[in-house]
Amino acid sequence: MKPVVAAAVQATPVFLDRDATVEKVADLTATAATEGAGLIVFPEAFVPTYPDWVWRVPAWSDAGYYRELADQAVDVPSAATRRMGEAARSARAWLAVGVNERDPSGGTLYNTLLYFAPDGSLAGRHRKLMPTGGERTVWGQGDGSSLTVLDTPFGRLGGLICWENYMPLARAALYARGMDVHLAPTWDTSDCWLSTLRHVAREGRTFVVGTNSYLRGCDVPSTLPDRDAIYGGEEDSMSHGGAAIVGPDGTVLAGPLLHAEGILYAEIDAVAARVARREFDPAGHYARPDVFALTVDTTARTSARFVTRGPACDGEDPGDRRTAS
């Protein structure tokens, strides 16, 4: 394994404009690459924006905002994912971007972290397992099939979104897969979030890259319904950031970055993380599998299973030949 420079991008999305935000992703990816970054990480639900209004208006009263969010959400695959893949390929870097993903049926959105490899391919995706509070009015729940850990030249890469990082069993599942670098894009701007990043790093003996958006009321277009009643101006802080990069002993390597857009950089050496697990390995010698056990269901869940009965061979029950999708 080779060390890599990680870039934690803290930026302002173009509010509810998918294509413009994707272009911002491409531009900032190029900027990070010029600084030598081989791993570039964007915030939670960055494309086309985090739906902050779910914390400001009564449930189900946000039709005008949700309509725009659904229209500007990201299909996988699509022109938007191809453009982000091109950005990763041009940068020759691993790229992780938080998006609002639109289910192919068009009826459900997911809070998703997309991973792109340096060749531009979509290498993985993780759907947030449990939306928090008001988020449940806009996002569905992911399943265990997207608890993604990827092999890269700089170690095993995984991540959880926002308050998933408070789910002990979700963290344990990733630790059990040998994760070396943990991504933690979030919307949480509380004072204790940095402590969360440091705890996860020290518990898992992993590097942690935390990112967040920088977003204010003045970033919301005036054309949206009741905009002035819901949002203020520059003084109305939706997210003041908090991006940080933490080492496997809990040491803060970069950040936190507050009240501004910017990119943080730090070198990540997975060998250091693995050596640190000699002292404490939560999925190895410190796990005590004789006392504790964790079962992770990685089955992809769908609401329907379609079965087609095929033609029968001589002497065969027609019900024995089936294909499923």
Side-chain angles (χ1 to χ4, degrees):
M1 291 181 296
K2 297 180 179 180
V4 68
V5 173
V9 178
Q10 184 163 292
T12 303
V14 184
F15 201 84
L16 293 177
D17 188 326
R18 177 189 57 238
D19 294 342
T21 303
V22 167
E23 286 306 314
K24 188 162 189 176
V25 168
D27 290 344
L28 291 171
T29 297
T31 298
T34 63
E35 299 297 323
L39 170 62
I40 304 166
V41 186
F42 280 80
E44 173 183 13
F46 189 70
V47 184
T49 195
Y50 179 90
D52 168 83
W53 60 85
V54 301
W55 304 108
R56 296 178 177 233
V57 301
W60 315 116
S61 66
D62 60 347
Y65 286 79
Y66 181 82
R67 186 179 298 111
E68 291 297 320
L69 181 66
D71 178 68
Q72 294 297 302
V74 175
D75 294 322
V76 181
S78 65
T81 59
R82 288 191 292 273
R83 181 69 182 99
M84 288 185 278
E86 290 170 0
R89 184 172 62 251
S90 295
R92 298 180 181 178
W94 287 84
L95 173 64
V97 185
V99 305
N100 291 267
E101 179 192 358
R102 184 168 49 204
D103 185 84
S105 69
T108 299
L109 304 182
Y110 295 95
N111 182 345
T112 299
L113 182 62
L114 298 178
Y115 296 86
F116 297 92
D119 64 1
S121 64
L122 180 63
R125 65 177 168 181
H126 169 62
R127 288 176 172 176
K128 190 175 184 180
L129 294 171
M130 179 55 66
T132 303
E135 294 175 355
R136 299 181 194 182
T137 66
V138 296
W139 290 324
Q141 299 176 1
D143 58 42
S145 68
S146 71
L147 279 171
T148 304
V149 176
L150 303 170
D151 286 308
T152 77
F154 52 82
R156 304 209 81 194
L157 175 67
L160 296 171
I161 301 169
C162 202
W163 278 18
E164 284 187 310
N165 287 281
Y166 289 133
M167 299 172 70
L169 301 184
R171 298 198 308 270
L174 297 186
Y175 298 156
R177 289 189 158 177
M179 181 176 61
D180 301 304
V181 184
H182 178 81
L183 308 186
T186 191
W187 186 250
D188 192 322
T189 59
S190 64
D191 291 340
C192 63
W193 185 251
L194 181 60
S195 298
T196 295
L197 300 181
R198 298 185 69 184
H199 172 81
V200 172
R202 189 167 176 84
E203 175 186 69
R205 294 302 198 264
T206 69
F207 287 88
V208 174
V209 182
T211 58
N212 204 338
S213 295
Y214 175 59
L215 200 58
R216 298 166 296 170
C218 59
D219 298 311
V220 180
S222 60
T223 54
L224 288 168
D226 300 319
R227 186 260 178 232
D228 292 338
I230 299 172
Y231 291 103
E234 292 185 4
E235 77 289 347
D236 184 356
S237 176
M238 285 183 266
S239 174
H240 57 254
I245 303 175
V246 184
D249 62 352
T251 299
V252 178
L253 304 177
L257 176 61
L258 300 170
H259 305 293
E261 292 188 271
I263 305 176
L264 300 177
Y265 300 93
E267 184 176 88
I268 285 175
D269 183 359
V271 173
R274 296 187 180 188
V275 168
R277 289 181 213 142
R278 176 188 180 186
E279 183 179 36
F280 182 89
D281 185 351
H285 62 80
Y286 228 93
R288 287 302 303 275
D290 56 323
V291 180
F292 305 108
L294 172 62
T295 300
V296 182
D297 187 346
T298 59
T299 306
R301 301 295 180 179
T302 60
S303 60
R305 181 173 180 269
F306 296 92
V307 177
T308 302
R309 297 180 185 275
C313 297
D314 291 342
E316 183 181 35
D317 182 344
D320 290 338
R321 294 177 58 81
R322 302 183 181 185
T323 59
S325 62

